[in-house]
Amino acid sequence: MTQQGAVLQGYNNELVKCIEDLCMQKEELNKQIQQAEEEKNKLQHEIQVLSEQLECVCENLAQKVASRNELDKILAETEAAYMKILDSSRTLLNVLKKEVGSLKHSPDLKTS
């Protein structure tokens, strides 16, 4: 009977060792799970922060694009008006030169 007791004691020791190994594996797995959850939470926070930053940048960009488009419109209108002024100035200058030229040939202005 002592031999059976010794065998039973051997099984018991092996069983206890297996249970201890399983408990250690569980503890290690719990640590890994906790680290993964912390990393997940950290990444989710970073995503939230980056999403907020992206939203601000997009809003700012939209405002700047709208301002640029308004400036483009104002510049185009100003350039068109300036070209009309240049054209009118050239026409006025040509008319003035013609008038001055015809006055020089007028007998009333000739000096004796």
Side-chain angles (χ1 to χ4, degrees):
M1 191 81 149
T2 57
Q3 186 180 9
Q4 291 174 337
V7 169
L8 184 60
Q9 184 63 39
Y11 291 156
N12 186 47
N13 288 343
E14 203 171 323
L15 182 60
V16 167
K17 185 179 180 331
C18 285
I19 291 172
E20 287 174 350
D21 287 346
L22 288 174
C23 286
M24 287 175 44
Q25 287 178 10
K26 179 184 171 187
E27 286 179 28
E28 180 60 31
L29 193 55
N30 280 337
K31 286 179 187 177
Q32 291 174 4
I33 289 170
Q34 183 178 2
Q35 288 173 346
E37 286 176 346
E38 289 172 0
E39 181 69 14
K40 179 186 123 188
N41 291 337
K42 177 185 166 196
L43 290 172
Q44 284 178 330
H45 177 72
E46 289 176 10
I47 288 171
Q48 181 181 0
V49 168
L50 289 173
S51 293
E52 290 171 2
Q53 289 177 351
L54 178 61
E55 186 178 337
C56 288
V57 168
C58 287
E59 288 174 8
N60 191 300
L61 178 62
Q63 291 172 351
K64 288 181 182 202
V65 167
S67 294
R68 183 191 61 196
N69 291 343
E70 185 63 26
L71 285 173
D72 284 344
K73 179 182 170 187
I74 291 169
L75 279 170
E77 291 171 355
T78 302
E79 287 174 353
Y82 184 67
M83 293 306 289
K84 287 180 182 179
I85 291 170
L86 286 178
D87 190 43
S88 295
S89 295
R90 183 177 59 241
T91 301
L92 178 61
L93 181 60
N94 288 338
V95 168
L96 186 58
K97 283 180 179 180
K98 190 185 234 184
E99 291 294 324
V100 167
S102 67
L103 285 177
K104 286 182 181 179
H105 295 95
S106 172
D108 294 338
L109 291 178
K110 289 188 178 179
T111 58
S112 7

